[in-house]
Amino acid sequence: MRPSVLRRLLRRVASTAALVLVAAVPGTVAAAQPAAAAGGLEQVTAFGTNPGNLQMYEYAPAGLPANAPLVVALHGCTQTATDYYTHSGWPEYADRWGFAVVFPQTTSANNALSCFGWFDPAEDSRDRGEAASIVQMVEHAKQQYGSDARRVYVTGLSAGGGMTADLLAAYPDVFAGGSVASGLPAQCATSQAAASGCQTGPQKLTPAQWGDKVRGAHPGYAGPWPRVAIWQGTSDYTVYPANATALRDQWTDVWGIGQTPSSTDTLPGNTTRSVYDDASGKPAVETYSVAGMGHGLAVSAGPGADRCGSTGAYFLSALCSTYYTGVFWGLDQGAPGGGRLPAPSGLRVTGVTADSASLSWDPVPGAASYTVHRDGTKVASPASTAYTDTGLAAGTAYQYTVTAVDESATSGAPSPQVTATTSGGTPARCLTATNYAHVAAGRAHTTGGYAYANGSNENMGLYNVFVTHTLRESPAGYFVIADTGCTNR
C-alpha cells in the first residue's frame, strides 16, 4: 500500500479527541457528505493530478469578461462546497462585481469531519497535498475563464481559514490577498496532536517569529505579499480570539509595518475594524473583531449593497463579511484602471442639540447619493451633502462616517470618522487603564483568560497588567474600546 494511502486511512480512524476544529453542535457530529451541484454551482472533475484528493466546484456569472478576478472559498469542518455557496454571499457579489469563484471541497475520505488539513505539512505545504490541489484548481479556472493572474484571492472559515493562511504563506506568488475567518495563523501547527493547542491559544511567539513561519513556507520569496483580512468573533470558543491577534502579528510583520493600527472604526454588527497601512498608505492588513459573535462566518441577509448571505450552521448574523472583504481586495472596482468613488472629504459637525447632530461634507463628483453611518450603522441616504441626525440621547458621543454612492448603487470608500457629542446630560467618559484595572473597576469582565468591555463585549485581549486600553463610556455602563480619538469633554 502506498504511504499516502496508508496515511489517509490512519487519519480516518483517528480518535475523536484528536480530530481538530470540531465545529458541529455537540451531540450531532456527523461527517459531511459530498456536495451535489446546486443551481449555478458546477463540479469540475478533471483539473489536475489532484494530490490532495479534493473535489472542485465553481461558480461564474453569465457573460464573465476576460481578465476578471478569481476567488477561492474554503468551507469549514462538517461543511460542504454547497454550504459555502449557499450561505456565504460570494455568488451574490460574483454577479454584482463580476468574478469567478472556486469552491474546493474535502470529504470524510481525507478527514472524518471533512476538515482541510491546515495542521499537516503533507497537505498544507507548497507543491504538496491539498494545497497543491487547490492551486491546480486555480490554474484550471484561470485558463477556463481567462482570469487575471494578478487578482486571485483566497478566503476560508475555520479549518478553511487555517488552510487559507497556509496557502497565502506557501503561494504568495499565486494569491494577491486572503481573508481568514475564525481561523489560525499560517503554520501554527505541524501535527494533528498540536492542532487543538492552536485553537485554544496559539504559541506565545513574537511577531517576527510568526512572520518567520510565513517566510519559511516559500524560502527566498521577496514579495509582493498578499493583503490579508482577519475576521474573529469575540465569543468564539472553538478557535479562540488569540488566533486573530497572532494572525495580525504574523502578517503585519511580514509587511514590515508594526502592530499599531493606522486607523480604527466601528462597523455594523458591533464590529471593530482596525487597519494597518503599508508604506504607501494603502491597507495591507485589516482585522475585524465582531463583539459577541461565536464560531462562524459573519453574514447579514437582506437588501442593500453591504448585505449578503443567509444564516445557517456557522453562518452567523452580524454583518456581511464578504462585502467588506471584497471591498478590501478591490473587487468592487471592476477592471484595473476603474475605481469606486473616493471617500468624501471635509466631513464635519456643523451643530448639535440635546437630541440631534448636524453634519456636512464636500461633494464627490459622480455621486448619486451618500450614505451616513452612525457608530457603524447606516442611518440615512441623503442626496445632498448635509444631514441632521435626530432622536439622539443627550450628552452622548456618536461617531459618523459618510460614503458616496454611484448610480449603480455601489458605495465608495468611507470618509474619516468624526465625533459629535450631543449637549446636555452626562458626557461620555474616556478611561485609560490596564485590562486588570478595568476589570477591577467594573468596566470589563473576564472569560477564558481574556478581558471584555462591559456593554459592547469587545475583546480587550489578555486579562493582565501589561495590556492597556482606553474605554469610552456612553451611555453609563456601556463601554467600547477607543484607543484613538477619545477625549473627555
Side-chain angles (χ1 to χ4, degrees), residues 68-470:
L70 176 66
V71 173
V72 178
L74 302 171
H75 64 77
C77 294
T78 76
Q79 294 180 330
T80 65
T82 296
D83 294 330
Y84 224 66
Y85 169 84
T86 301
H87 295 290
S88 68
W90 280 110
E92 299 169 46
Y93 285 100
D95 289 339
R96 184 176 302 173
W97 292 337
F99 56 86
V101 189
V102 169
F103 294 90
Q105 179 172 283
T106 188
T107 69
S108 57
N110 285 4
N111 178 280
L113 291 178
S114 297
C115 304
F116 287 103
W118 60 271
F119 50 86
D120 186 348
E123 302 294 350
D124 65 4
S125 302
R126 188 176 177 91
D127 299 326
R128 302 186 70 182
E130 293 176 354
S133 290
I134 292 168
V135 172
Q136 288 179 0
M137 296 180 197
V138 169
E139 294 305 314
H140 183 279
K142 284 164 55 179
Q143 294 179 23
Q144 179 180 1
Y145 297 114
S147 304
D148 186 348
R150 299 167 300 171
R151 295 188 295 163
V152 179
Y153 306 91
V154 60
T155 180
L157 165 65
S158 193
M163 181 60 81
T164 292
D166 289 338
L167 286 166
L168 294 172
Y171 293 97
D173 51 334
V174 172
F175 298 103
S179 179
V180 181
S182 298
L184 298 302
Q187 298 300 319
C188 183
T190 55
S191 69
Q192 191 159 279
S196 60
C198 284
Q199 291 173 231
T200 57
Q203 306 165 56
K204 303 301 186 290
L205 302 182
T206 66
Q209 289 171 323
W210 280 119
D212 285 344
K213 288 180 176 290
V214 172
R215 289 180 283 267
H218 186 20
Y221 182 76
W225 294 103
R227 299 183 183 273
V228 183
I230 301 158
W231 290 85
Q232 182 71 49
T234 63
S235 298
D236 188 340
Y237 303 116
T238 299
V239 176
Y240 278 43
N243 285 282
T245 301
L247 277 159
R248 179 209 62 187
D249 290 352
Q250 184 171 66
W251 289 100
T252 53
D253 179 78
V254 167
W255 275 88
I257 54 178
Q259 289 73 55
T260 300
S262 305
S263 63
T264 301
D265 62 346
T266 303
L267 301 177
N270 294 319
T271 301
T272 300
R273 173 173 56 187
S274 298
V275 180
Y276 302 80
D277 291 340
D278 64 14
S280 69
K282 183 177 180 180
V285 177
E286 292 188 352
T287 64
Y288 298 79
S289 178
V290 187
M293 191 180 81
H295 186 66
L297 183 73
V299 298
S300 181
D306 59 352
R307 307 289 292 273
C308 74
S310 58
T311 56
Y314 310 104
F315 296 96
L316 307 178
S317 181
L319 77 168
C320 175
S321 58
T322 296
Y323 168 79
Y324 289 97
T325 295
V327 170
F328 171 55
W329 290 340
L331 296 180
D332 60 328
Q333 298 182 23
R340 56 186 175 136
L341 294 176
S345 60
L347 177 62
R348 51 202 174 271
V349 180
T350 57
V352 295
T353 68
D355 63 355
S356 69
S358 297
L359 310 168
S360 67
W361 55 92
D362 299 335
V364 175
S369 63
Y370 300 89
T371 300
V372 179
H373 287 82
R374 180 212 311 136
D375 294 334
T377 300
K378 177 180 175 180
V379 293
S381 297
S384 66
T385 57
Y387 173 71
T388 297
D389 194 16
T390 60
L392 306 179
T396 303
Y398 296 95
Q399 283 68 50
Y400 292 92
T401 59
V402 176
T403 58
V405 181
D406 64 20
E407 292 183 351
S408 66
T410 298
S411 295
S415 69
Q417 181 175 277
V418 299
T419 299
T421 302
T422 52
S423 59
T426 302
R429 292 194 302 159
C430 300
L431 305 115
T432 302
T434 66
N435 283 354
Y436 178 86
H438 280 308
V439 172
R443 297 186 288 266
H445 58 279
T446 63
T447 300
Y450 291 85
Y452 295 86
N454 288 344
S456 70
N457 205 40
E458 291 180 331
N459 186 351
M460 300 162 57
L462 293 172
Y463 171 53
N464 58 34
V465 297
F466 304 107
V467 180
T468 297
H469 281 296
T470 297

